[in-house]
């Protein structure tokens, strides 16, 4: 499973890209609202920082507007993926963009039927939201599994992109069930890395290495 970062914060992207683990980036209007600067410049900089699919979301609501905005976004860089919400207008816009070889990430997907529609319209990625489903008392992981299974036999290159990830457990569950990608907020990357036994073990190795060096020197 590929790991994407879910943020528009350039500093965070730069830091995590330096770990060598990022295969792509997702953004959305709410994430962009948390940072300053011109949107197009932010997308361009993200494309410089990470060599992989970079999702940039349309804010237009009708299909014609989505197509026009999508084309503008796609023209920024070959790695841009146009993110479009799951709706009738979104499906229609996706079909047009896909027919012009512009990749689409269909977002705000919560069910397998929605995912099948997205895949049928030509979406390259489908993004089931795990955490937001949990928020309303359902199992986001079960819903994600339904999507993964429903698209198993689907005759296209559509990839399941697990989104709205809130914990490292979400990431592991997504990996175990065979989701293609998980897009992960920066803070969850740090949680994935940290373990007290790793820290204790490293401290002991450092102490023992220092003690040995002192003995050799003396
Ligand atoms: C990414 O593609 C989604 O927009 C994002 O993961 C949503 O996450 P949230 O539910 O934490 O806002």
């Amino acid at each position: 499973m590929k790991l994407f970062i879910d943020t528009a914060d350039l500093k965070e992207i730069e830091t995590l890209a330096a770990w060598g683990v990022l295969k792509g980036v997702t953004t959305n209007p709410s994430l962009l609202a948390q940072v300053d600067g011109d949107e197009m410049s932010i997308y361009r900089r993200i494309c410089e920082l990470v060599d992989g699919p970079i999702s940039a979301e349309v804010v237009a609501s009708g299909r014609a507007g989505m197509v026009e905005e999508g084309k503008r976004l796609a023209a920024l860089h070959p790695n841009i993926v146009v993110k479009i919400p799951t709706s009738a207008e979104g499906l229609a816009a996706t079909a047009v963009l896909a027919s012009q070889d512009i990749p689409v990430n269909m977002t705000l997907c919560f069910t397998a039927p929605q995912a099948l529609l997205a895949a049928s319209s030509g979406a390259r990625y489908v993004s089931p939201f795990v955490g937001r489903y949990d928020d309303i008392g359902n199992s986001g992981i079960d819903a994600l599994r339904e999507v993964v299974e429903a698209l198993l036999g689907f005759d296209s290159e559509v990839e399941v992109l697990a989104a709205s990830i809130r914990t490292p457990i979400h990431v592991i569950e997504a990996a175990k069930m065979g989701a293609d990608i998980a897009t992960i907020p920066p803070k969850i990357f740090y949680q994935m890395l940290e373990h007290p036994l790793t820290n204790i073990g490293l401290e002991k190795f450092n102490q023992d290495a220092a003690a040995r060096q002192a003995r050799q020197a003396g």
Side-chain angles (χ1 to χ4, degrees):
M1 185 179 74
K2 289 166 277 194
L3 307 185
F4 286 15
I5 191 167
D6 194 25
T7 185
D9 184 325
L10 295 175
K11 207 165 163 337
E12 290 285 15
I13 295 172
E14 197 168 353
T15 302
L16 272 298
W19 289 11
V21 299
L22 296 185
K23 303 291 180 246
V25 182
T26 53
T27 63
N28 65 37
S30 305
L31 292 170
L32 275 168
Q34 294 167 26
V35 299
D36 293 323
D38 162 66
E39 251 170 68
M40 297 297 176
S41 311
I42 292 172
Y43 293 139
R44 275 196 212 93
R45 180 64 186 139
I46 294 175
C47 291
E48 285 169 9
L49 290 170
V50 178
D51 185 17
I54 311 297
S55 285
E57 188 159 343
V58 300
V59 291
S61 48
R63 70 188 74 175
M66 287 177 181
V67 168
E68 193 201 314
E69 194 181 349
K71 283 185 187 172
R72 243 184 303 122
L73 290 167
L76 280 177
H77 192 281
N79 285 352
I80 291 285
V81 172
V82 180
K83 207 171 172 196
I84 293 191
T86 305
S87 64
E89 293 301 300
L91 290 169
T94 298
V96 173
L97 291 170
S99 74
Q100 297 176 24
D101 288 329
I102 294 177
V104 171
N105 171 5
M106 185 139 274
T107 189
L108 288 168
C109 171
F110 288 91
T111 68
Q114 287 179 326
L116 280 173
L117 289 170
S120 287
S121 74
R124 179 76 181 70
Y125 305 91
V126 177
S127 290
F129 277 33
V130 177
R132 290 196 201 183
Y133 220 171
D134 288 351
D135 291 344
I136 60 159
N138 287 303
S139 165
I141 285 299
D142 285 351
L144 174 64
R145 187 174 293 108
E146 283 271 295
V147 170
V148 169
E149 289 176 5
L151 292 183
L152 270 183
F154 201 84
D155 186 23
S156 86
E157 286 186 344
V158 66
E159 292 190 67
V160 178
L161 194 166
S164 191
I165 295 289
R166 301 273 168 80
T167 68
I169 293 169
H170 282 163
V171 180
I172 297 314
E173 289 299 319
K176 288 197 302 193
M177 75 177 70
D180 300 287
I181 302 159
T183 189
I184 305 169
K187 124 175 152 189
I188 308 301
F189 275 102
Y190 297 105
Q191 291 176 358
M192 289 168 70
L193 180 63
E194 279 298 316
H195 195 282
L197 290 179
T198 304
N199 300 338
I200 292 167
L202 182 57
E203 205 180 319
K204 177 83 170 84
F205 285 155
N206 287 340
Q207 281 168 3
D208 290 345
R212 183 172 196 284
Q213 277 161 12
R215 200 173 62 240
Q216 295 295 107

